[in-house]
Amino acid sequence: MKLILLGPPGAGKGTQAERLEKHHKLVQLSTGVMLRAERAAGTELGKAADKVMAAGQLVSDEIVIGMIAKRIEEPDCKAGFVLDGFPRTVNQATALDEMLAEKGTKIDGVIEFVVDEAALVERISGRFECAKCKAGYHDKFKQPKKPGVCDVCGSTEFTRRKDDNAETVKARLKAYREQTAPILPYYKAKGLLYPVDGMAAPDQVTKEIAGVLSRIKP
Ligand code: AMP
């Protein structure tokens, strides 16, 4: 099965993509994670993307389309994948359709995370993760059980994304409204759009997605 998770930053796409990978054996393809890895490795691509990401704007279509085109050629993607953070423009969506058509395949469903934008700034600005195992936490909604110690691996080091501050979050939401939201009618017209309540608790969203999956025929 080939899925897209679509929704603004902080809607919970990453959390659900991880669960889909774990429980449904779909490879998680997150362009944000790939770009941060390039940046951390100090590659030319990472350097080019750094300023744009820090400003909360979108990296060029050319860069992200190239990254995804290369990644979906790898054997682990054959059985299915879940795209998280891609496509983010209509141009990226049409390029994706073309690259899949060339391989004789297509997207089976697009899960839209419906959210209250006003709540997202608080949701995103407070999030942090374990530096070692990447378990996710939040200042207000999910502190580690023992302060300063990761519940999962016991590490005492945590990191925050550079672009998870209130000012950049507002720019990222603007980019979503103006450049990404226009993709919704594109997939709706194809009968592929499945809305879920992104404001519900994560386990509830996972249940809603499981309901959607049972309706999708790959
Ligand atoms: P994310 O982790 O999905 O929130 O992405 C973090 C940042 O990476 C975004 O704010 C963009 O600057 C960049 N980015 C990630 N995916 C894309 C994409 N598909 N198109 C353009 N820029 C992207």
Side-chain angles (χ1 to χ4, degrees):
M1 190 175 303
K2 297 177 181 69
L3 295 178
I4 294 173
L5 304 189
L6 202 57
K13 303 185 298 294
T15 302
Q16 298 301 329
E18 273 167 31
R19 292 181 181 192
L20 285 162
E21 177 163 86
K22 204 164 159 199
H23 304 303
H24 296 273
K25 306 229 174 339
L26 301 175
V27 179
Q28 178 186 2
L29 302 180
S30 161
T31 39
V33 171
M34 292 177 197
L35 287 166
R36 283 188 288 282
E38 294 280 348
R39 193 175 60 188
T43 64
E44 285 308 312
L45 193 157
K47 282 181 205 158
D50 183 36
K51 275 204 188 96
V52 182
M53 290 168 77
Q57 289 161 2
L58 295 187
V59 172
S60 77
D61 285 342
E62 196 192 343
I63 288 184
V64 287
I65 290 168
M67 268 183 356
I68 288 292
K70 197 166 151 216
R71 183 65 184 87
I72 62 171
E73 286 301 326
E74 289 176 32
D76 62 338
C77 289
K78 246 199 164 149
F81 53 75
V82 52
L83 287 159
D84 153 26
F86 181 94
R88 258 178 158 100
T89 63
V90 173
N91 202 10
Q92 291 176 23
T94 51
L96 175 66
D97 279 349
E98 280 163 23
M99 66 178 97
L100 292 178
E102 266 174 36
K103 296 159 78 68
T105 181
K106 60 176 179 45
I107 291 296
D108 300 300
V110 179
I111 297 175
E112 179 198 359
F113 288 62
V114 180
V115 290
D116 164 13
E117 225 193 73
L120 292 181
V121 178
E122 182 181 53
R123 237 201 215 189
I124 306 177
S125 321
R127 64 186 184 182
F128 62 100
E129 65 179 24
C130 170
K132 201 166 156 203
C133 75
K134 309 285 174 216
Y137 296 98
H138 193 281
D139 292 330
K140 190 164 167 194
F141 307 121
K142 195 186 168 203
Q143 281 281 356
K145 291 192 184 88
K146 187 172 169 198
V149 182
C150 176
D151 297 345
V152 181
C153 74
S155 166
T156 52
E157 272 183 54
F158 296 88
T159 55
R160 279 176 202 266
R161 278 174 51 170
K162 269 208 285 195
D163 58 352
D164 275 353
N165 59 76
E167 194 192 335
T168 311
V169 169
K170 283 185 191 144
R172 288 160 67 197
L173 288 172
K174 185 168 183 276
Y176 179 81
R177 267 196 312 272
E178 291 176 1
Q179 291 165 274
T180 308
I183 304 179
L184 294 166
Y186 174 80
Y187 287 120
K188 190 163 188 202
K190 290 175 182 277
L192 289 175
L193 202 60
Y194 298 88
V196 296
D197 177 9
M199 297 317 288
D203 288 351
Q204 181 57 34
V205 181
T206 303
K207 264 192 206 152
E208 273 196 53
I209 292 177
V212 170
L213 296 192
S214 64
R215 283 156 59 204
I216 296 177
K217 302 238 179 332

